[in-house]
Amino acid sequence: MASPRPAPQRVAWPAVARCVAVSVPLLVRGQVRLPRHNLGRTFRFADGTTATTYRETVVARGPRDPCFLAVSFRLRGVRGPRGHAAFRAESLLNTPLFVGFPGFVSKLWLAADERHVYRGLYEWDGSERAEHYARSLWRVLALVSEPPSIDYRIEPGLGRDEAIRRSAETALPGSGGWWQVVEG
């Protein structure tokens, strides 16, 4: 994978608009689910941080070409327990910004870690689709995040849960990978 970078604005913003147009019917038809079985699940990462799942979002389709996508960012101007709690509550409104992207399957929403970094751990159908989403999302995140904090990693050929399991078996604590789960 090339170094993570944002999509050009002329590509990103139309992609986000198409996503919202596709998301609304998915939401209206009840094809977007918020399962509860992963809520409270805590992950420890190879960079020494921990983060807890506060929401999961799933659409009613499975991947043919599964891949794992991890996205991270630090919000600009959100501080303290009340600020982070408000963001977590408000973030549900961001659902139309990703569920309608082609290939979306699921997302674990992780609360801010000790460094105030939020993560999304996704399953996607197709690594090219996941990269298109991550690069387009970058433009949205740049509006509310510290731009140098935005990052993503893609692991083709593995579903989200398999990628997490494999990472926990092989990643070494302290190795620096913010996306590599060492326990969870």
Side-chain angles (χ1 to χ4, degrees):
M1 181 182 87
S3 180
R5 63 191 190 286
Q9 292 199 39
R10 70 183 189 289
V11 172
W13 293 116
V16 171
R18 282 189 301 276
C19 170
V20 172
V22 171
S23 296
V24 171
L26 289 172
L27 292 162
V28 168
R29 290 191 305 257
Q31 292 178 293
V32 178
R33 307 260 192 280
L34 301 172
R36 302 183 59 78
H37 63 274
N38 279 310
L39 296 186
R41 183 177 176 188
T42 298
F43 295 93
R44 191 164 53 102
F45 294 89
D47 67 353
T49 60
T50 58
T52 302
T53 305
Y54 70 91
R55 183 176 300 123
E56 182 173 13
T57 303
V58 176
V59 294
R61 63 177 169 244
R64 292 184 307 264
D65 179 20
C67 82
F68 172 69
L69 167 66
V71 173
S72 70
F73 60 94
R74 183 180 303 109
L75 291 170
R76 187 175 33 238
V78 175
R79 301 287 178 257
R82 285 187 179 170
H84 287 287
F87 171 74
R88 289 190 305 271
E90 172 280 328
S91 66
L92 183 62
L93 300 176
N94 299 331
T95 302
L97 299 176
F98 64 88
V99 297
F101 265 90
F104 173 79
V105 177
S106 69
K107 174 183 180 181
L108 293 178
W109 307 58
L110 275 55
D113 65 17
E114 300 84 353
R115 298 175 188 154
H116 307 290
V117 173
Y118 284 85
R119 292 177 180 91
L121 304 180
Y122 298 79
E123 182 160 4
W124 217 267
D125 186 8
S127 58
E128 289 178 6
R129 289 172 163 182
E131 182 152 11
H132 174 68
Y133 162 72
R135 293 184 66 213
S136 297
L137 173 70
W138 193 304
R139 295 297 181 178
V140 175
L141 290 174
L143 299 174
V144 296
S145 301
E146 298 171 4
S149 73
I150 302 168
D151 202 355
Y152 67 89
R153 292 294 185 278
I154 296 171
E155 291 188 40
L158 297 175
R160 184 194 70 206
D161 294 339
E162 183 181 2
I164 290 169
R165 183 184 53 75
R166 282 194 184 182
S167 179
E169 292 171 355
T170 61
L172 301 173
S175 66
W178 64 262
W179 66 96
Q180 295 175 303
V181 174
V182 294
E183 186 180 321

